[in-house]
Coordinates of all heavy atoms in Angstrom, one line a residue:
M3 N 19.9 -44.2 -12.9 CA 20.1 -42.8 -13.3 C 18.9 -42.1 -13.5 O 18.6 -41.0 -13.1 CB 21.1 -42.8 -14.4 CG 21.4 -41.4 -14.9 SD 22.4 -40.5 -13.8 CE 23.8 -40.2 -14.7
A4 N 17.9 -42.7 -14.3 CA 16.7 -42.1 -14.6 C 15.8 -41.9 -13.4 O 15.1 -41.0 -13.3 CB 15.9 -42.9 -15.6
D5 N 16.0 -42.9 -12.4 CA 15.3 -42.8 -11.2 C 15.7 -41.5 -10.4 O 14.9 -40.8 -9.8 CB 15.5 -44.1 -10.4 CG 14.3 -44.6 -9.7 OD1 13.2 -44.3 -10.1 OD2 14.5 -45.3 -8.7
Q6 N 17.0 -41.3 -10.4 CA 17.5 -40.1 -9.7 C 17.0 -38.8 -10.3 O 16.6 -37.8 -9.6 CB 19.0 -40.1 -9.6 CG 19.6 -41.1 -8.7 CD 21.1 -41.1 -8.8 OE1 21.7 -40.7 -9.7 NE2 21.7 -41.6 -7.7
N7 N 17.0 -38.7 -11.6 CA 16.5 -37.5 -12.3 C 15.0 -37.3 -12.1 O 14.6 -36.2 -11.9 CB 16.7 -37.7 -13.8 CG 18.2 -37.6 -14.2 OD1 19.0 -37.0 -13.5 ND2 18.5 -38.1 -15.4
R8 N 14.3 -38.4 -12.0 CA 12.8 -38.3 -11.7 C 12.6 -37.8 -10.3 O 11.8 -36.9 -10.1 CB 12.2 -39.7 -11.9 CG 10.7 -39.6 -11.9 CD 10.0 -40.9 -12.2 NE 10.6 -41.5 -13.3 CZ 10.9 -42.9 -13.4 NH1 10.7 -43.7 -12.4 NH2 11.5 -43.4 -14.4
R9 N 13.4 -38.3 -9.3 CA 13.2 -37.8 -8.0 C 13.6 -36.3 -7.9 O 12.9 -35.6 -7.2 CB 14.1 -38.6 -7.0 CG 13.5 -39.9 -6.7 CD 14.3 -40.6 -5.6 NE 14.3 -42.0 -5.9 CZ 15.4 -42.8 -5.8 NH1 16.5 -42.4 -5.4 NH2 15.2 -44.1 -6.1
R10 N 14.7 -35.9 -8.5 CA 15.1 -34.5 -8.5 C 14.0 -33.6 -9.1 O 13.7 -32.6 -8.6 CB 16.4 -34.3 -9.2 CG 16.9 -32.9 -9.1 CD 18.3 -32.7 -9.6 NE 19.1 -33.8 -9.9 CZ 19.8 -34.2 -11.0 NH1 19.6 -33.4 -12.1 NH2 20.5 -35.2 -11.2
F11 N 13.5 -34.1 -10.2 CA 12.4 -33.4 -10.9 C 11.2 -33.2 -10.0 O 10.6 -32.1 -9.8 CB 12.0 -34.0 -12.2 CG 10.8 -33.4 -12.9 CD1 11.0 -32.3 -13.6 CD2 9.6 -34.0 -12.7 CE1 9.9 -31.7 -14.2 CE2 8.4 -33.5 -13.3 CZ 8.6 -32.3 -14.1
M12 N 10.8 -34.3 -9.3 CA 9.6 -34.3 -8.4 C 9.9 -33.3 -7.2 O 9.0 -32.6 -6.8 CB 9.3 -35.6 -7.9 CG 8.8 -36.6 -9.0 SD 7.4 -36.0 -9.9 CE 6.2 -36.4 -8.6
R13 N 11.1 -33.4 -6.6 CA 11.4 -32.5 -5.5 C 11.4 -31.1 -5.9 O 10.9 -30.3 -5.2 CB 12.8 -33.0 -4.9 CG 13.2 -32.2 -3.7 CD 14.5 -32.7 -3.1 NE 15.4 -33.1 -4.1 CZ 16.2 -34.2 -4.2 NH1 16.2 -35.0 -3.2 NH2 17.0 -34.4 -5.2
Q14 N 12.1 -30.7 -7.0 CA 12.1 -29.3 -7.4 C 10.7 -28.8 -7.8 O 10.4 -27.7 -7.6 CB 13.1 -29.2 -8.6 CG 14.5 -29.3 -8.2 CD 15.5 -29.3 -9.3 OE1 15.1 -29.5 -10.5 NE2 16.8 -29.1 -9.0
G15 N 9.9 -29.7 -8.4 CA 8.5 -29.3 -8.8 C 7.7 -29.0 -7.5 O 6.9 -28.1 -7.5
A16 N 7.9 -29.9 -6.5 CA 7.1 -29.7 -5.3 C 7.6 -28.4 -4.6 O 6.7 -27.6 -4.1 CB 7.3 -30.9 -4.3
L17 N 8.9 -28.0 -4.6 CA 9.3 -26.8 -4.0 C 8.8 -25.6 -4.8 O 8.4 -24.6 -4.2 CB 10.9 -26.7 -4.0 CG 11.5 -27.7 -3.0 CD1 13.0 -27.7 -3.1 CD2 11.2 -27.3 -1.6
G18 N 8.8 -25.8 -6.1 CA 8.2 -24.6 -6.9 C 6.7 -24.4 -6.7 O 6.3 -23.3 -6.6
L19 N 6.0 -25.5 -6.5 CA 4.6 -25.4 -6.3 C 4.3 -24.8 -4.9 O 3.4 -24.0 -4.7 CB 3.8 -26.7 -6.3 CG 3.6 -27.3 -7.8 CD1 3.1 -28.7 -7.7 CD2 2.7 -26.4 -8.5
A20 N 5.2 -25.1 -3.9 CA 5.0 -24.6 -2.6 C 5.3 -23.0 -2.5 O 4.7 -22.3 -1.8 CB 5.9 -25.3 -1.6
A21 N 6.1 -22.5 -3.4 CA 6.5 -21.2 -3.5 C 5.5 -20.3 -4.3 O 5.5 -19.1 -4.2 CB 7.9 -21.0 -4.1
L22 N 4.6 -20.9 -5.0 CA 3.7 -20.2 -5.9 C 2.8 -19.2 -5.1 O 2.7 -18.0 -5.5 CB 2.8 -21.1 -6.7 CG 3.4 -21.6 -8.0 CD1 2.5 -22.6 -8.7 CD2 3.7 -20.4 -9.0
P23 N 2.2 -19.6 -4.0 CA 1.3 -18.6 -3.3 C 2.1 -17.4 -2.8 O 1.5 -16.3 -2.8 CB 0.8 -19.5 -2.1 CG 0.9 -20.8 -2.5 CD 2.1 -20.9 -3.4
L24 N 3.3 -17.6 -2.3 CA 4.1 -16.5 -1.9 C 4.3 -15.5 -3.0 O 4.1 -14.3 -2.9 CB 5.4 -16.9 -1.3 CG 6.4 -15.8 -0.9 CD1 5.7 -15.0 0.3 CD2 7.7 -16.5 -0.4
G25 N 4.8 -16.0 -4.1 CA 5.1 -15.1 -5.3 C 3.8 -14.5 -5.8 O 3.8 -13.3 -6.2
A26 N 2.7 -15.2 -5.8 CA 1.4 -14.6 -6.3 C 1.0 -13.5 -5.4 O 0.5 -12.5 -5.9 CB 0.4 -15.7 -6.4
G27 N 1.2 -13.6 -4.1 CA 0.8 -12.6 -3.2 C 1.6 -11.3 -3.4 O 1.0 -10.2 -3.4
V28 N 2.9 -11.5 -3.6 CA 3.7 -10.3 -3.8 C 3.3 -9.6 -5.1 O 3.2 -8.4 -5.1 CB 5.2 -10.7 -3.8 CG1 6.1 -9.6 -4.3 CG2 5.7 -11.2 -2.4
L29 N 3.2 -10.4 -6.1 CA 2.8 -9.8 -7.4 C 1.5 -9.2 -7.4 O 1.3 -8.1 -8.0 CB 2.8 -10.9 -8.5 CG 4.2 -11.4 -8.9 CD1 4.1 -12.6 -9.9 CD2 5.1 -10.3 -9.5
S30 N 0.5 -9.7 -6.7 CA -0.9 -9.1 -6.7 C -0.9 -7.9 -6.0 O -1.6 -6.9 -6.3 CB -1.9 -10.1 -6.1 OG -1.6 -10.4 -4.8
R31 N -0.1 -7.7 -4.8 CA 0.0 -6.5 -4.1 C 0.6 -5.4 -4.9 O 0.1 -4.3 -4.9 CB 0.7 -6.7 -2.8 CG -0.1 -7.3 -1.6 CD 0.6 -7.1 -0.3 NE 1.9 -7.7 -0.3 CZ 2.2 -8.9 0.1 NH1 1.2 -9.7 0.6 NH2 3.4 -9.4 0.1
T32 N 1.7 -5.7 -5.6 CA 2.4 -4.8 -6.5 C 1.4 -4.3 -7.6 O 1.3 -3.2 -7.9 CB 3.6 -5.4 -7.0 OG1 4.5 -5.8 -5.9 CG2 4.4 -4.4 -7.9
A33 N 0.7 -5.3 -8.2 CA -0.2 -4.9 -9.3 C -1.3 -4.1 -8.8 O -1.7 -3.1 -9.5 CB -0.7 -6.2 -9.9
L34 N -1.8 -4.4 -7.6 CA -2.9 -3.6 -7.0 C -2.4 -2.1 -6.8 O -3.1 -1.2 -7.1 CB -3.5 -4.2 -5.8 CG -4.6 -3.5 -5.1 CD1 -5.8 -3.4 -6.1 CD2 -5.0 -4.2 -3.8
A35 N -1.2 -2.0 -6.2 CA -0.8 -0.6 -5.9 C -0.6 0.2 -7.2 O -0.8 1.4 -7.3 CB 0.6 -0.7 -5.2
Q36 N -0.1 -0.5 -8.2 CA 0.1 0.2 -9.5 C -1.3 0.4 -10.2 O -1.3 1.4 -11.0 CB 1.0 -0.6 -10.4 CG 2.4 -0.7 -9.9 CD 3.3 -1.6 -10.7 OE1 2.8 -2.3 -11.6 NE2 4.6 -1.6 -10.4
S37 N -2.3 -0.3 -9.9 CA -3.5 -0.1 -10.6 C -4.5 0.9 -10.0 O -5.4 1.4 -10.6 CB -4.2 -1.5 -10.8 OG -4.7 -1.9 -9.5
L38 N -4.2 1.3 -8.7 CA -5.1 2.3 -8.1 C -4.7 3.7 -8.6 O -3.5 4.0 -8.6 CB -4.9 2.2 -6.6 CG -5.4 1.0 -5.8 CD1 -5.1 1.1 -4.3 CD2 -7.0 0.9 -6.0
P39 N -5.7 4.4 -9.1 CA -5.3 5.8 -9.5 C -5.0 6.7 -8.3 O -5.5 6.5 -7.2 CB -6.6 6.2 -10.1 CG -7.7 5.4 -9.5 CD -7.1 4.1 -9.2
R40 N -4.1 7.6 -8.5 CA -3.7 8.5 -7.4 C -4.8 9.5 -7.1 O -5.5 10.0 -8.0 CB -2.5 9.3 -7.8 CG -1.9 10.3 -6.8 CD -1.4 9.6 -5.6 NE -0.2 8.9 -5.8 CZ 0.9 8.9 -5.1 NH1 1.0 9.7 -4.0 NH2 2.0 8.2 -5.4
L41 N -5.0 9.7 -5.8 CA -6.1 10.6 -5.4 C -5.7 12.0 -5.8 O -4.6 12.5 -5.6 CB -6.2 10.6 -3.8 CG -7.2 11.5 -3.2 CD1 -8.7 11.2 -3.7 CD2 -7.1 11.5 -1.7
D42 N -6.6 12.7 -6.5 CA -6.5 14.1 -6.9 C -6.8 15.0 -5.8 O -7.9 15.0 -5.3 CB -7.4 14.3 -8.1 CG -7.3 15.8 -8.7 OD1 -6.5 16.6 -8.1 OD2 -8.0 16.0 -9.6
P43 N -5.8 15.8 -5.3 CA -6.1 16.7 -4.1 C -7.2 17.6 -4.4 O -7.8 18.2 -3.4 CB -4.7 17.4 -4.0 CG -3.8 16.5 -4.6 CD -4.5 15.8 -5.7
S44 N -7.5 17.9 -5.7 CA -8.6 18.9 -6.0 C -10.0 18.2 -6.0 O -11.0 18.9 -6.2 CB -8.3 19.6 -7.2 OG -8.3 18.7 -8.3
S45 N -10.0 16.9 -5.9 CA -11.3 16.2 -5.9 C -12.2 16.7 -4.7 O -11.6 17.0 -3.6 CB -11.2 14.7 -5.9 OG -10.7 14.3 -4.7
S46 N -13.4 16.5 -4.8 CA -14.3 16.9 -3.6 C -14.0 16.1 -2.4 O -14.0 16.7 -1.3 CB -15.8 16.8 -4.0 OG -16.1 15.5 -4.4
N47 N -13.8 14.8 -2.5 CA -13.5 14.0 -1.3 C -12.2 14.5 -0.6 O -12.1 14.6 0.6 CB -13.4 12.6 -1.7 CG -14.7 11.9 -2.0 OD1 -15.8 12.5 -1.8 ND2 -14.7 10.8 -2.6
A48 N -11.2 14.7 -1.4 CA -9.9 15.2 -0.9 C -10.0 16.5 -0.2 O -9.5 16.7 0.9 CB -8.8 15.2 -2.0
R49 N -10.7 17.4 -0.9 CA -10.8 18.8 -0.3 C -11.7 18.7 1.0 O -11.4 19.5 1.9 CB -11.5 19.7 -1.3 CG -10.6 20.1 -2.4 CD -11.2 21.3 -3.2 NE -12.6 21.3 -3.3 CZ -13.3 21.0 -4.4 NH1 -12.7 20.6 -5.5 NH2 -14.6 21.0 -4.4
A50 N -12.6 17.8 1.0 CA -13.5 17.7 2.3 C -12.7 17.3 3.5 O -13.0 17.8 4.6 CB -14.6 16.7 2.0
L51 N -11.6 16.6 3.3 CA -10.7 16.2 4.4 C -9.4 17.0 4.4 O -8.5 16.6 5.1 CB -10.5 14.7 4.4 CG -11.7 13.9 4.7 CD1 -11.4 12.4 4.5 CD2 -12.3 14.2 6.0
N52 N -9.3 18.0 3.6 CA -8.1 18.8 3.5 C -6.8 18.0 3.2 O -5.8 18.3 3.7 CB -7.9 19.6 4.8 CG -9.0 20.7 5.0 OD1 -9.1 21.6 4.2 ND2 -9.7 20.5 6.1
Y53 N -7.0 17.0 2.3 CA -5.9 16.2 1.9 C -4.8 17.0 1.1 O -5.2 17.8 0.2 CB -6.4 15.0 1.0 CG -5.2 14.2 0.4 CD1 -4.5 13.4 1.1 CD2 -4.9 14.4 -1.0 CE1 -3.5 12.6 0.5 CE2 -4.0 13.7 -1.6 CZ -3.2 12.8 -0.8 OH -2.2 12.1 -1.4
V54 N -3.6 16.8 1.4 CA -2.5 17.4 0.7 C -1.5 16.3 0.4 O -1.3 15.3 1.2 CB -1.8 18.5 1.4 CG1 -2.7 19.8 1.5 CG2 -1.3 18.1 2.8
E55 N -0.7 16.3 -0.7 CA 0.2 15.3 -1.0 C 1.5 15.4 -0.3 O 2.3 14.5 -0.2 CB 0.5 15.2 -2.5 CG -0.7 14.8 -3.3 CD -0.5 14.6 -4.8 OE1 0.2 15.5 -5.3 OE2 -0.9 13.6 -5.3
K56 N 1.8 16.6 0.3 CA 3.0 16.9 1.1 C 2.5 17.4 2.4 O 2.0 18.5 2.5 CB 3.8 17.9 0.3 CG 5.2 18.1 0.9 CD 6.0 19.1 0.1 CE 7.3 19.4 0.8 NZ 8.0 20.5 0.1
A57 N 2.7 16.6 3.5 CA 2.2 17.0 4.8 C 2.6 18.4 5.3 O 1.7 19.1 5.8 CB 2.7 15.9 5.8
S58 N 3.7 18.8 4.9 CA 4.1 20.2 5.4 C 3.3 21.3 4.8 O 3.2 22.4 5.4 CB 5.6 20.4 5.1 OG 5.9 20.3 3.8
D59 N 2.6 21.0 3.7 CA 1.7 22.0 3.1 C 0.5 22.2 4.0 O -0.3 23.1 3.8 CB 1.2 21.5 1.7 CG 2.3 21.5 0.7 OD1 3.4 22.1 0.9 OD2 2.1 20.9 -0.4
A60 N 0.3 21.3 5.0 CA -0.9 21.5 5.9 C -0.5 22.2 7.2 O -1.2 22.2 8.2 CB -1.5 20.1 6.2
S61 N 0.7 22.7 7.3 CA 1.2 23.3 8.4 C 0.3 24.4 9.1 O 0.3 24.7 10.2 CB 2.6 23.8 8.3 OG 2.6 24.9 7.3
D62 N -0.5 25.0 8.2 CA -1.4 26.1 8.7 C -2.7 25.5 9.2 O -3.6 26.3 9.7 CB -1.6 27.1 7.6 CG -2.2 26.6 6.4 OD1 -2.2 25.4 6.1 OD2 -2.8 27.4 5.6
H63 N -2.9 24.2 9.1 CA -4.2 23.6 9.5 C -4.1 23.4 11.0 O -3.1 22.8 11.5 CB -4.4 22.3 8.8 CG -5.8 21.8 8.9 ND1 -6.2 21.1 10.1 CD2 -6.9 21.8 8.2 CE1 -7.5 20.8 10.0 NE2 -7.9 21.2 8.8
P64 N -5.1 23.7 11.8 CA -5.1 23.5 13.2 C -4.9 22.1 13.7 O -4.4 21.9 14.8 CB -6.4 24.1 13.7 CG -7.2 24.4 12.5 CD -6.4 24.3 11.3
A65 N -5.3 21.1 13.0 CA -5.2 19.7 13.4 C -3.9 19.1 13.1 O -3.5 18.0 13.6 CB -6.3 18.9 12.7
Y66 N -3.1 19.7 12.2 CA -1.8 19.2 11.8 C -0.7 19.4 12.9 O -0.6 20.4 13.5 CB -1.3 19.9 10.5 CG 0.1 19.5 10.1 CD1 0.3 18.2 9.5 CD2 1.2 20.3 10.3 CE1 1.5 17.8 9.1 CE2 2.4 19.9 9.9 CZ 2.6 18.6 9.3 OH 3.9 18.2 9.0
E67 N 0.1 18.3 13.0 CA 1.3 18.3 13.9 C 2.4 17.8 13.1 O 2.2 16.8 12.4 CB 1.0 17.5 15.1 CG 0.0 18.1 16.1 CD -0.2 17.4 17.4 OE1 0.8 16.6 17.7 OE2 -1.2 17.5 18.0
P68 N 3.6 18.4 13.2 CA 4.7 17.9 12.4 C 5.0 16.4 12.6 O 4.9 16.0 13.8 CB 5.9 18.8 12.9 CG 5.2 20.0 13.4 CD 3.9 19.6 13.9
G69 N 5.3 15.7 11.6 CA 5.6 14.3 11.7 C 4.4 13.4 11.3 O 4.5 12.2 11.1
Q70 N 3.2 14.0 11.2 CA 2.0 13.2 10.8 C 2.1 13.2 9.3 O 2.2 14.1 8.6 CB 0.8 14.0 11.2 CG 0.6 14.1 12.7 CD -0.7 14.8 13.1 OE1 -1.3 15.6 12.3 NE2 -1.1 14.7 14.3
T71 N 2.0 11.9 8.8 CA 1.9 11.7 7.4 C 1.0 10.5 7.1 O 0.7 9.7 8.1 CB 3.3 11.3 6.8 OG1 3.7 10.1 7.3 CG2 4.3 12.4 6.9
C72 N 0.6 10.3 5.9 CA -0.2 9.2 5.6 C 0.5 7.9 6.0 O -0.2 6.9 6.4 CB -0.6 9.1 4.1 SG -1.6 10.5 3.5
A73 N 1.8 7.8 5.8 CA 2.5 6.6 6.1 C 2.4 6.1 7.5 O 2.5 5.0 7.8 CB 4.0 6.7 5.7
N74 N 2.2 7.0 8.5 CA 2.1 6.7 9.9 C 0.7 6.8 10.4 O 0.4 6.9 11.6 CB 3.1 7.3 10.7 CG 3.0 8.8 10.7 OD1 2.0 9.4 10.5 ND2 4.2 9.5 11.0
C75 N -0.3 6.8 9.5 CA -1.8 6.9 9.9 C -2.4 5.5 9.9 O -2.0 4.7 9.1 CB -2.5 7.8 8.9 SG -4.3 7.9 9.2
M76 N -3.3 5.3 10.8 CA -3.9 4.0 10.9 C -4.8 3.7 9.7 O -5.1 2.5 9.4 CB -4.8 3.9 12.2 CG -6.1 4.7 12.1 SD -7.1 4.5 13.6 CE -7.8 2.9 13.3
F77 N -5.1 4.6 8.9 CA -6.0 4.4 7.7 C -5.2 4.0 6.5 O -5.8 3.6 5.5 CB -6.9 5.6 7.4 CG -7.9 5.9 8.5 CD1 -7.7 7.1 9.2 CD2 -8.9 5.0 8.9 CE1 -8.6 7.4 10.2 CE2 -9.7 5.3 9.9 CZ -9.6 6.5 10.6
Y78 N -3.9 4.1 6.5 CA -3.0 3.9 5.4 C -2.6 2.5 5.3 O -2.3 1.8 6.3 CB -1.8 4.8 5.5 CG -0.8 4.7 4.4 CD1 -1.1 5.3 3.1 CD2 0.4 4.0 4.5 CE1 -0.2 5.2 2.1 CE2 1.3 4.0 3.5 CZ 1.0 4.6 2.3 OH 1.9 4.5 1.2
T79 N -2.6 1.9 4.1 CA -2.1 0.6 3.9 C -0.9 0.6 2.9 O -1.0 1.0 1.8 CB -3.2 -0.3 3.2 OG1 -4.4 -0.2 3.9 CG2 -2.8 -1.7 3.0
A80 N 0.2 0.3 3.5 CA 1.5 0.5 2.8 C 1.6 -0.4 1.5 O 2.1 0.0 0.5 CB 2.7 0.2 3.7
D81 N 1.1 -1.6 1.6 CA 1.1 -2.5 0.4 C 0.5 -2.0 -0.8 O 1.0 -2.2 -1.9 CB 0.4 -3.9 0.8 CG 1.2 -4.7 1.8 OD1 2.4 -4.4 2.1 OD2 0.6 -5.7 2.3
T82 N -0.6 -1.3 -0.6 CA -1.3 -0.8 -1.8 C -1.2 0.7 -2.0 O -1.7 1.3 -2.9 CB -2.8 -1.1 -1.7 OG1 -3.4 -0.5 -0.6 CG2 -3.0 -2.6 -1.7
Q83 N -0.6 1.4 -1.0 CA -0.5 2.8 -0.9 C -1.9 3.4 -0.9 O -2.2 4.5 -1.3 CB 0.3 3.4 -2.0 CG 1.8 3.0 -2.0 CD 2.5 3.6 -3.2 OE1 2.0 4.0 -4.2 NE2 3.8 3.4 -3.1
G84 N -2.8 2.6 -0.3 CA -4.2 3.1 -0.3 C -4.6 3.6 1.1 O -3.8 3.5 2.1
C85 N -5.8 4.2 1.1 CA -6.3 4.8 2.4 C -7.8 4.4 2.5 O -8.5 4.4 1.5 CB -6.2 6.3 2.3 SG -7.0 7.1 3.8
Q86 N -8.1 3.9 3.7 CA -9.5 3.5 3.9 C -10.5 4.6 3.7 O -11.7 4.4 3.4 CB -9.6 2.9 5.3 CG -8.8 1.7 5.5 CD -8.8 1.2 6.9 OE1 -9.6 1.5 7.7 NE2 -7.7 0.5 7.3
L87 N -10.0 5.8 3.9 CA -10.9 7.0 3.7 C -11.2 7.4 2.3 O -12.1 8.1 1.9 CB -10.4 8.2 4.5 CG -10.2 8.0 6.0 CD1 -9.5 9.2 6.6 CD2 -11.4 7.6 6.7
F88 N -10.3 6.9 1.4 CA -10.4 7.2 0.0 C -10.3 5.9 -0.8 O -9.3 5.6 -1.5 CB -9.2 8.2 -0.5 CG -9.2 9.5 0.3 CD1 -8.1 9.7 1.2 CD2 -10.1 10.4 0.1 CE1 -8.1 10.9 1.9 CE2 -10.1 11.6 0.8 CZ -9.0 11.9 1.7
P89 N -11.3 5.1 -0.7 CA -11.2 3.7 -1.3 C -11.1 3.9 -2.9 O -11.5 4.9 -3.4 CB -12.6 3.1 -1.0 CG -13.4 4.1 -0.4 CD -12.5 5.3 0.0
Q90 N -10.4 3.0 -3.4 CA -10.2 2.9 -4.9 C -9.1 4.0 -5.3 O -9.0 4.2 -6.5 CB -11.4 3.1 -5.7 CG -12.5 2.1 -5.3 CD -12.1 0.7 -5.4 OE1 -11.5 0.3 -6.4 NE2 -12.4 -0.1 -4.4
H91 N -8.4 4.5 -4.4 CA -7.3 5.5 -4.8 C -6.0 5.2 -3.9 O -6.1 4.8 -2.8 CB -7.8 6.9 -4.5 CG -8.8 7.4 -5.4 ND1 -10.2 7.3 -5.1 CD2 -8.7 8.0 -6.6 CE1 -10.9 7.8 -6.1 NE2 -10.0 8.2 -7.0
S92 N -4.9 5.5 -4.5 CA -3.7 5.5 -3.7 C -3.5 7.0 -3.2 O -4.0 7.9 -3.9 CB -2.6 5.0 -4.6 OG -2.2 5.9 -5.6
V93 N -2.7 7.1 -2.2 CA -2.4 8.4 -1.7 C -0.9 8.5 -1.5 O -0.2 7.5 -1.4 CB -3.1 8.7 -0.3 CG1 -4.6 8.7 -0.5 CG2 -2.7 7.6 0.7
A94 N -0.3 9.7 -1.4 CA 1.1 9.9 -1.2 C 1.4 9.5 0.2 O 0.7 9.9 1.2 CB 1.4 11.3 -1.5
S95 N 2.4 8.6 0.4 CA 2.8 8.2 1.7 C 3.2 9.4 2.6 O 3.0 9.4 3.8 CB 3.9 7.2 1.7 OG 5.1 7.8 1.1
G96 N 3.7 10.5 2.0 CA 4.1 11.7 2.7 C 3.0 12.7 2.8 O 3.2 13.8 3.2
G97 N 1.8 12.3 2.4 CA 0.6 13.3 2.4 C 0.0 13.3 3.8 O 0.5 12.7 4.8
W98 N -1.1 14.0 3.9 CA -1.8 14.2 5.2 C -3.2 14.7 4.9 O -3.5 15.3 3.9 CB -1.1 15.3 6.0 CG -1.7 15.6 7.3 CD1 -1.4 15.0 8.5 CD2 -2.7 16.6 7.6 NE1 -2.2 15.5 9.5 CE2 -3.0 16.5 9.0 CE3 -3.4 17.5 6.8 CZ2 -3.9 17.3 9.6 CZ3 -4.3 18.3 7.5 CH2 -4.6 18.2 8.9
C99 N -4.1 14.3 5.8 CA -5.5 14.9 5.8 C -5.9 15.1 7.2 O -5.3 14.5 8.2 CB -6.5 14.0 5.0 SG -7.2 12.6 5.9
Q100 N -7.0 15.8 7.4 CA -7.4 16.1 8.8 C -7.9 14.9 9.6 O -8.1 15.0 10.8 CB -8.5 17.2 8.8 CG -9.8 16.8 8.2 CD -10.8 18.0 8.1 OE1 -10.4 19.1 7.9 NE2 -12.0 17.7 8.2
S101 N -8.1 13.8 8.9 CA -8.6 12.6 9.7 C -7.4 11.8 10.1 O -7.6 10.6 10.6 CB -9.5 11.8 8.8 OG -10.7 12.5 8.5
W102 N -6.2 12.3 10.0 CA -5.0 11.5 10.5 C -5.2 11.0 11.9 O -5.7 11.8 12.7 CB -3.8 12.4 10.4 CG -2.5 11.6 10.8 CD1 -1.7 11.0 9.9 CD2 -2.0 11.5 12.1 NE1 -0.7 10.4 10.6 CE2 -0.9 10.7 11.9 CE3 -2.4 11.9 13.3 CZ2 -0.1 10.3 13.1 CZ3 -1.6 11.5 14.4 CH2 -0.5 10.7 14.3
T103 N -5.0 9.7 12.1 CA -5.1 9.1 13.4 C -3.9 8.2 13.6 O -3.5 7.4 12.7 CB -6.4 8.2 13.4 OG1 -7.5 9.0 13.1 CG2 -6.5 7.6 14.8
E104 N -3.3 8.3 14.7 CA -2.0 7.6 15.0 C -2.3 6.0 14.8 O -3.2 5.5 15.4 CB -1.6 7.9 16.4 CG -0.2 7.2 16.7 CD 0.3 7.7 18.0 OE1 -0.3 8.5 18.8 OE2 1.4 7.2 18.4
A105 N -1.4 5.4 14.1 CA -1.4 4.0 14.0 C -1.0 3.3 15.3 O 0.0 3.8 15.9 CB -0.5 3.5 12.8
G106 N -1.7 2.4 15.7 CA -1.3 1.8 17.0 C -1.2 0.4 17.0 O -0.9 -0.5 17.4

């Protein structure tokens, strides 16, 4: 009986250890997304690229086309809600800037 309990304990422990990297990856991405400060649209970097938090607010910009948002831009990282053009900041997935490039 003790032998069966020991085997079950070892098997469950091994499964738990195997799942740790997966859980840690999910938690670290979530923590990173929550820890990045939101890009302030009035900051100099945001203004330089005409960043807006709501893409339709850019409808008067000559480079804007309906349907373009941060979420479908090649510079956007969904896991962290970050943008390669604005390192250390998260951006609105529904936002837009003039550097929008189709994700491919």
Side-chain angles (χ1 to χ4, degrees):
M3 181 68 116
D5 220 23
Q6 288 178 336
N7 287 339
R8 189 173 317 133
R9 279 189 219 136
R10 186 176 338 127
F11 173 78
M12 295 298 286
R13 184 178 35 224
Q14 289 175 343
L17 289 173
L19 285 174
L22 276 176
L24 176 63
V28 168
L29 289 175
S30 64
R31 278 194 303 265
T32 302
L34 182 58
Q36 292 174 351
S37 67
L38 290 176
R40 180 65 71 133
L41 178 65
D42 179 357
S44 66
S45 72
S46 59
N47 290 344
R49 285 193 329 256
L51 293 178
N52 294 299
Y53 170 76
V54 292
E55 291 186 320
K56 187 176 173 189
S58 61
D59 290 346
S61 61
D62 61 339
H63 193 283
Y66 174 76
E67 292 182 21
Q70 295 178 343
T71 65
C72 292
N74 59 26
C75 176
M76 72 175 285
F77 298 115
Y78 182 74
T79 305
D81 290 346
T82 62
Q83 296 177 349
C85 175
Q86 296 171 24
L87 302 176
F88 304 109
Q90 307 303 316
H91 290 92
S92 67
V93 295
S95 62
W98 180 88
C99 84
Q100 70 184 31
S101 293
W102 183 91
T103 304
E104 185 174 359

